[in-house]
Amino acid sequence: MNLSENLVNMTSLLSPQEKNCDSTDAQSQTKPSSPIIPICTIAYSDAYLSCTTLMDECMRTHLVRRDEDDDDALLEMARKGYEITASVISHNLGHYSAWSYRRECIYDMIRLGNGEPLGERDLISLSRRYIGLERDFIRSNGGSNPKNYQLWAHRRSLLEEIYGETLGHGADGATVEETGWDRTYNYEEEMSYVENVLVGEDAKNYHAWAHRQWVVRRYMVADEMQKYTKKELDFSEKMIRLDCRNNSAWNQRWFTYRFCQMEMSKNDDCVEVMDDNIVSFLRSEADFSFTIITLDAYNESPWLYVTEVVLEHVRLLTHHKIQNNLRSSLIDDIVNRIDILEEVDYLSRDNSSENQSVASIHKLTAKIELLEAKGDISSIRKAIQITENLASKHDRIRSKYWYHRYNQLKDRIEETEVVS
């Protein structure tokens, strides 16, 4: 029996009077005779309840004023909402509705221009003012809880909405550059705030790292790519040296390299520079990675990073049809550096066979990927031998995986022999 049939059967049980009663009578009949007493209530402070109640009323009135198309009344409600949300947020930093409504009030105040007709230049100036005020507001309220995602979403939403909409037009001929609003200003402001959080409070704050990547995507431009890339690489190196196991910092370094490489590849002039410096950059990154490896060989991050950087360079060189011997020499250089790493030097603090095996897994995994990327039959056979050693000796817990890689490499040899 479906839901409709159930409803029909239930209706048939009603008397004629009950069927014809209006909604008001039905509602009055269902109302409890005594007020509902909750089992457990949240102990909100009276001040917080007063603020939220006032904000709810303000939000409802704000919607009415917007429908009435009364700009003066709407501006008044936006100003009130802006003040009330500050009180609510000061009591509860995670109040989503307060943050969302606060942004709506800011957009209305900018759009209405404080009740006076404004040109594009005035709108830009007003937008800069509110963004500055919100940055100060977040700094003063977010210090105790920098992992609250509302703080970061608010910053990002404001910049996306105001910069993308209000500042994206040139109604009276004004441009972003002419009014002093530029990418550098926002880039430096946002990066400074993120750095203070990561260095001074929590070096692994996910929201801070995610916001930093958003800033890079939003404000980096091709003609300044090399300058900002160096800044990001320097910052990630600083964070890695503070804690070489900070995987967020390694991820940021990889993101910076990968994103900047893709952006630069869109510009023909940048591609020429990139090709000229590709070998020196690879070797400098290898130097950095191996330096960190000597500090902590059990950390998988530097092994993965140096491997992926090499493989990405190989793909890049292939894409630009640069000679095969250069690709091979780059891989050989890194493989040789792995081979000459004497594990005893950086395992002297703990020479147990278990720890040596952990370090060997990272080292041998890197060699397999690099030898496979080289692509010649001799290198692939070396990689096959390493997979056998990992499956039978160093990493038996993942033996099925290594035998799977063994079969893949065997197939690769057969394909190579057929082509040759």
Side-chain angles (χ1 to χ4, degrees):
M1 185 179 293
N2 58 34
L3 180 60
S4 300
E5 293 172 338
N6 276 330
L7 292 173
V8 170
N9 291 337
M10 291 172 66
T11 305
S12 65
L13 299 176
L14 298 175
S15 64
Q17 293 79 9
E18 290 173 322
K19 290 181 181 179
N20 296 326
C21 66
D22 58 24
S23 59
T24 304
D25 292 336
Q27 291 176 3
S28 63
Q29 291 172 8
T30 59
K31 287 182 179 179
S33 57
S34 59
I36 297 176
I37 301 175
I39 297 175
C40 180
T41 58
I42 301 175
Y44 292 123
S45 67
D46 292 339
Y48 177 68
L49 289 173
S50 298
C51 288
T52 52
T53 301
L54 190 58
M55 186 184 74
D56 291 342
E57 291 295 329
C58 191
M59 291 172 70
R60 283 192 286 269
T61 307
H62 199 146
L63 289 174
V64 172
R65 295 290 182 267
R66 187 171 290 168
D67 292 338
E68 292 174 350
D69 198 22
D70 185 345
D71 287 350
D72 292 336
L74 181 59
L75 180 59
E76 180 185 359
M77 291 309 304
R79 287 170 176 166
K80 287 182 178 179
Y82 184 68
E83 295 176 359
I84 292 168
T85 53
S87 299
V88 175
I89 290 169
S90 66
H91 286 91
N92 180 6
L93 201 62
H95 199 300
Y96 172 83
S97 297
W99 286 107
S100 178
Y101 180 46
R102 185 175 181 83
R103 287 193 293 276
E104 292 298 321
C105 292
I106 292 172
Y107 301 152
D108 281 343
M109 288 189 292
I110 293 175
R111 182 176 59 83
L112 298 172
N114 287 331
E116 300 176 1
L118 299 177
E120 188 72 13
R121 296 175 188 274
D122 296 321
L123 281 175
I124 290 173
S125 177
L126 189 61
S127 300
R128 292 191 65 183
R129 174 174 173 268
Y130 276 112
I131 286 181
L133 288 173
E134 287 307 287
R135 281 174 171 147
D136 293 338
F137 179 76
I138 290 173
R139 285 191 184 97
S140 61
N141 287 276
S144 61
N145 189 8
K147 285 193 175 180
N148 186 324
Y149 72 92
Q150 297 294 349
L151 300 172
W152 304 98
H154 186 65
R155 295 179 77 96
R156 188 180 305 182
S157 297
L158 279 175
L159 288 169
E160 285 181 334
E161 181 70 20
I162 294 176
Y163 187 82
E165 298 295 330
T166 306
L167 304 178
H169 307 292
D172 62 353
T175 64
V176 170
E177 290 75 16
E178 289 172 351
T179 54
W181 183 283
D182 55 24
R183 293 174 180 266
T184 303
Y185 175 79
N186 278 322
Y187 179 88
E188 297 295 342
E189 283 289 313
E190 294 303 304
M191 288 305 192
S192 175
Y193 179 76
V194 172
E195 184 169 352
N196 288 336
V197 170
L198 292 174
V199 176
E201 297 175 16
D202 182 5
K204 299 179 181 179
N205 186 324
Y206 168 81
H207 303 297
W209 285 110
H211 187 72
R212 193 174 185 94
Q213 291 190 5
W214 176 82
V215 173
V216 170
R217 288 191 182 99
R218 180 74 178 179
Y219 294 110
M220 274 195 181
V221 290
D223 55 352
E224 297 179 331
M225 192 67 65
Q226 288 182 309
K227 179 179 73 174
Y228 287 122
T229 298
K230 186 179 186 308
K231 283 187 176 183
E232 282 304 291
L233 292 175
D234 289 344
F235 179 75
S236 63
E237 179 175 348
K238 172 184 174 181
M239 299 304 295
I240 289 170
R241 290 188 181 278
L242 289 173
D243 178 8
C244 64
R245 286 183 173 269
N246 187 342
N247 291 330
S248 297
W250 283 106
N251 180 66
Q252 180 70 13
R253 193 172 186 86
W254 169 250
F255 161 79
T256 302
Y257 161 70
R258 190 73 178 87
F259 173 77
C260 294
Q261 172 195 294
M262 288 190 297
E263 290 300 307
M264 290 174 69
S265 65
K266 299 175 184 177
N267 187 317
D268 293 337
D269 296 332
C270 291
V271 167
E272 293 179 5
V273 174
M274 189 166 51
D275 288 344
D276 292 340
N277 298 330
I278 193 168
V279 176
S280 61
F281 177 82
L282 170 60
R283 285 175 177 155
S284 67
E285 289 304 287
D287 289 340
F288 173 71
S289 299
F290 284 117
T291 298
I292 302 303
I293 287 171
T294 59
L295 297 177
D296 184 1
Y298 317 125
N299 182 10
E300 190 176 9
S301 293
W303 291 104
L304 289 174
Y305 178 76
V306 70
T307 302
E308 285 304 314
V309 168
V310 174
L311 296 180
E312 189 62 26
H313 274 73
V314 170
R315 287 190 286 268
L316 187 64
L317 292 169
T318 304
H319 175 73
H320 293 297
K321 299 179 181 180
I322 297 177
Q323 59 271 29
N324 290 330
N325 60 342
L326 177 58
R327 299 199 298 270
S328 298
S329 65
L330 289 174
I331 294 175
D332 287 339
D333 182 46
I334 304 301
V335 171
N336 290 335
R337 295 187 66 168
I338 294 176
D339 287 337
I340 65 176
L341 268 175
E342 295 293 339
E343 294 186 7
V344 67
D345 291 341
Y346 50 85
L347 295 175
S348 59
R349 289 167 292 182
D350 187 353
N351 288 320
S352 66
S353 59
E354 180 182 354
N355 285 326
Q356 288 186 10
S357 181
V358 171
S360 296
I361 292 171
H362 301 330
K363 169 185 173 181
L364 297 176
T365 301
K367 287 187 68 175
I368 290 172
E369 299 298 329
L370 294 171
L371 290 170
E372 183 182 15
K374 191 174 178 183
D376 61 276
I377 293 178
S378 175
S379 298
I380 296 176
R381 282 176 176 161
K382 291 178 183 178
I384 289 174
Q385 183 61 47
I386 295 172
T387 57
E388 288 183 302
N389 291 337
L390 284 165
S392 61
K393 179 181 178 183
H394 296 291
D395 195 16
R396 286 179 292 180
I397 196 170
R398 294 194 299 167
S399 59
K400 290 185 178 179
Y401 167 74
W402 291 119
Y403 282 126
H404 170 68
R405 291 289 287 127
Y406 172 88
N407 292 328
Q408 285 183 326
L409 294 169
K410 292 284 283 186
D411 293 340
R412 180 78 182 275
I413 283 187
E414 293 177 2
E415 293 173 2
T416 305
E417 288 176 340
V418 169
V419 172
S420 60

